[in-house]
Amino acid sequence: MSSSKHSSALRRLALSVLQPGFVGTEAPDWILRDIGDGLASVVLFSRNIVSTEQVARLTGQLRAENPDLIVAIDEEAGDVTRIESATGSSRPGNFALGTVDDAELTEAVAADLGRQLRAAGVSLDYAPSADVNSNPDNPIIGVRSFGSDPDVVSRHTSAWIRGLQSSGVAACAKHFPGHGDVAVDSHHDLPSYPAGREEIAAQALPPFRAAVAAGVRAVMSGHLLVPAYDPDLPATLSRRILHGLLREELGFDGLVVSDAIEMGAVTRRYGIDGATVKAVAAGVDAVCVGGESAEEATVALLVKALTTAVTGGELPEERLAEAADRVREFARWSAGLRAAGDAGTTAGDGAGDGIGHIAARRAVRLTGAARAALPLTAAPHVVELAPVTNMAIGKETPWGVAGPLRERLPGTTSVRVRGQELEEGTVALERCALEPAAGRPLVIVARDVARHAWMSRAVTGLTAARPDAIVVEMGLPGTATTAAAQIFTHGASAASGVAAAEILTTTSAG
């Protein structure tokens, strides 16, 4: 083969192992050109989405260049939603489903989501999170996990995969080998999972084994150091973990996808280009990129890095070709899955009373004191304590209880308070919370009280001043809240907010 033909073939191989994002609700020219040149996948984010119908037009435009194009999305439902980022998810997330612990319900919710994604033209969903949230201080998983029990997480991981794939959309179990027992957010730096192999086998791996048994054909690596397997390289860059553990020990022969390669856990040490080369060399078949770095120049940089690594001997061409083959094989399989999927009907686009809302209602738990205090008969004042969320959760995604309460009790007022405002003294709870609630019910909405000292102090102060206040916890239930009247939604999706509002306005003793 001539050198120009070889370089062209190498470029096609490099393009085929990237899964880039892009900006806009229509396909930019450079993405269409790259698809023509061998790009086999793209990934959608909330910036690409207005409605299911618009996304269907977009994916149709993309697939006109390649009918088997893999169109991926990072849609977990619950707190992490892209397809409903503007409204909040009409389905609860994993923790709510794990709390209900009805595998048939989980399967039905995932199938409902799958029908919406399939209608939009999506073929691969970077979900479910198969992480066991064994560390309650984990800043990145939390309610994205089905829970802290490996058996529960395994059961619902399997059910979620079955449900999603029955609708024609491929699932992707993440974040291998398990991101649930870390204390650092991998968007910013490299977390470590220091457990020994026996503990990892008992705690973190069972849901991934269950995912493989349930027919998952894609697994996403996590950017975390697992010294028991590799003391030097994070899982995404570790052949010992991706090949030795995932392929040889767990028997997975499908597509290995990287978590977003621009995340600080890997780029701070190796740069985005260096991390990409190391990931493919280690066994990643498809490199997810473009959540943050969504420019044509980023794709060009990574293509150049991969081709240069091959010609320079850093990356064996056989490994790049193997990765490209796996992408093509997955593309063919997922196109067939999409064609055979159950179109059915779906709640979709925030419809009000579908399976998602049924599931969210079933996940709500009340203390006895809360049950005795309900229903609210007067319009309350709602204080929503808003933490800084991790980057997986869209800043634009609405959450809370004030909106749906206002629809049910006109005259409901609300304020949203952030920790920084309290610490700086620019906001005082006396003025914004207690004074407006004088003579009326006070509802305090929190999100992971146990993880945020400022939030715990605020809840303690407010409930001391107003012992009749009702606290709605939309994150992980913890021990920091002292108020007796509590409602737990086990997630902050729009569906969970509506469920809490319904409970507040209709539940009475007995």
Side-chain angles (χ1 to χ4, degrees):
M1 189 186 297
S2 71
S3 61
S4 63
K5 281 187 179 174
H6 184 238
S7 63
S8 175
L10 264 187
R11 183 171 185 272
R12 286 191 76 84
L13 287 178
L15 274 169
S16 70
V17 303
L18 301 179
Q19 294 193 336
F22 57 90
V23 176
T25 54
E26 295 184 357
D29 289 342
W30 68 267
I31 277 280
L32 298 176
R33 276 197 310 274
D34 281 351
I35 294 170
D37 289 346
L39 185 69
S41 317
V42 297
V43 56
L44 303 180
F45 293 92
S46 53
R47 62 182 175 229
N48 305 118
I49 294 165
V50 175
S51 67
T52 300
E53 295 74 22
Q54 167 265 325
V55 179
R57 288 193 298 273
L58 170 60
T59 55
Q61 185 187 11
L62 293 163
R63 287 215 176 90
E65 303 295 324
N66 174 7
D68 285 353
L69 183 77
I70 300 165
V71 178
I73 196 169
D74 186 19
E75 174 61 55
E76 299 176 15
D79 290 28
V80 179
T81 180
R82 311 298 176 218
I83 201 74
E84 296 183 297
S85 66
T87 57
S89 178
S90 56
R91 305 168 186 92
N94 288 0
F95 189 56
L97 295 171
T99 298
V100 177
D101 198 12
D102 177 346
E104 288 185 6
L105 179 70
T106 294
E107 190 169 337
V109 170
D112 183 63
L113 173 63
R115 286 189 288 271
Q116 184 181 9
L117 295 179
R118 180 178 178 272
V122 170
S123 55
L124 169 61
D125 187 6
Y126 296 149
S129 167
D131 306 294
V132 179
N133 197 59
S134 46
N135 182 351
D137 289 329
N138 190 323
I140 190 163
I141 302 300
V143 296
R144 300 167 66 192
S145 167
F146 290 111
S148 57
D149 181 331
D151 290 340
V152 171
V153 177
S154 297
R155 186 158 58 245
H156 291 277
T157 293
S158 298
W160 213 95
I161 289 165
R162 286 195 304 271
L164 188 77
Q165 295 193 164
S166 73
S167 297
V169 176
C172 177
K174 66 185 184 186
H175 307 82
F176 188 81
H179 217 304
D181 193 10
V182 301
V184 171
D185 184 344
S186 49
H187 288 96
H188 305 298
D189 209 339
L190 180 62
S192 180
Y193 179 21
R197 290 195 182 197
E198 283 187 14
E199 184 182 335
I200 292 168
Q203 185 73 23
L205 295 182
F208 291 98
R209 292 188 186 277
V212 173
V216 82
R217 297 285 291 270
V219 168
M220 178 177 281
S221 64
H223 299 329
L224 69 160
L225 200 65
V226 190
Y229 285 93
D230 192 328
D232 302 314
L233 293 167
T236 298
L237 313 183
S238 170
R239 183 165 174 80
R240 295 180 198 174
I241 291 172
L242 298 185
H243 186 77
L245 180 58
L246 178 57
R247 294 220 183 274
E248 292 186 345
E249 192 174 319
L250 268 64
F252 179 67
D253 63 357
L255 187 75
V256 176
V257 184
S258 78
D259 203 349
I261 205 69
E262 63 261 55
M263 287 165 64
V266 289
T267 58
R268 284 184 66 169
R269 287 158 180 78
Y270 306 106
I272 192 170
D273 47 352
T276 296
V277 170
K278 286 183 177 295
V280 175
V284 165
D285 304 307
V287 177
C288 171
V289 65
E292 304 298 309
S293 306
E295 309 82 18
E296 179 181 7
T298 300
V299 174
L301 173 70
L302 300 189
V303 166
K304 184 179 180 187
L306 289 166
T307 55
T308 302
V310 169
T311 55
E314 184 185 352
L315 173 64
E317 188 169 348
E318 299 75 27
R319 167 79 275 268
L320 185 61
E322 176 191 49
D325 284 344
R326 280 220 184 85
V327 171
R328 276 194 293 273
E329 182 186 342
F330 182 88
R332 284 193 298 270
W333 173 77
S334 63
L337 187 72
R338 196 170 75 250
D342 169 23
T345 56
T346 178
D349 280 351
D353 204 32
I355 188 70
H357 283 85
I358 293 167
R361 283 194 290 269
R362 286 185 61 187
V364 177
R365 301 288 183 267
L366 285 73
T367 60
R371 195 171 291 279
L374 299 176
L376 297 176
T377 53
H381 182 57
V382 182
V383 180
E384 294 179 333
L385 302 172
V388 176
T389 54
N390 66 64
M391 287 174 67
I393 299 170
K395 298 260 185 292
E396 74 284 354
T397 304
W399 67 278
V401 177
L405 258 183
R406 199 172 288 115
E407 292 175 12
R408 288 158 180 78
L409 289 173
T412 294
T413 55
S414 66
V415 64
R416 186 162 284 190
V417 179
R418 293 164 180 80
Q420 187 178 354
E421 295 168 328
L422 292 179
E423 287 161 10
E424 291 172 349
T426 54
V427 167
L429 290 176
E430 179 72 33
R431 282 198 309 276
C432 74
L434 295 175
E435 289 175 9
R440 44 198 294 227
L442 174 63
V443 176
I444 304 162
V445 183
R447 201 169 174 180
D448 290 327
V449 165
R451 281 195 52 241
H452 302 284
W454 72 268
M455 198 181 293
S456 177
R457 288 192 299 270
V459 170
T460 300
L462 289 171
T463 53
R466 284 288 301 265
D468 63 331
I470 297 170
V471 178
V472 181
E473 170 61 83
M474 302 192 80
L476 293 176
T479 55
T481 309
T482 55
Q486 296 180 69
I487 296 173
F488 302 97
T489 62
H490 303 99
S493 70
S496 297
V498 169
E502 288 174 353
I503 296 284
L504 284 162
T505 54
T506 60
T507 297
S508 57

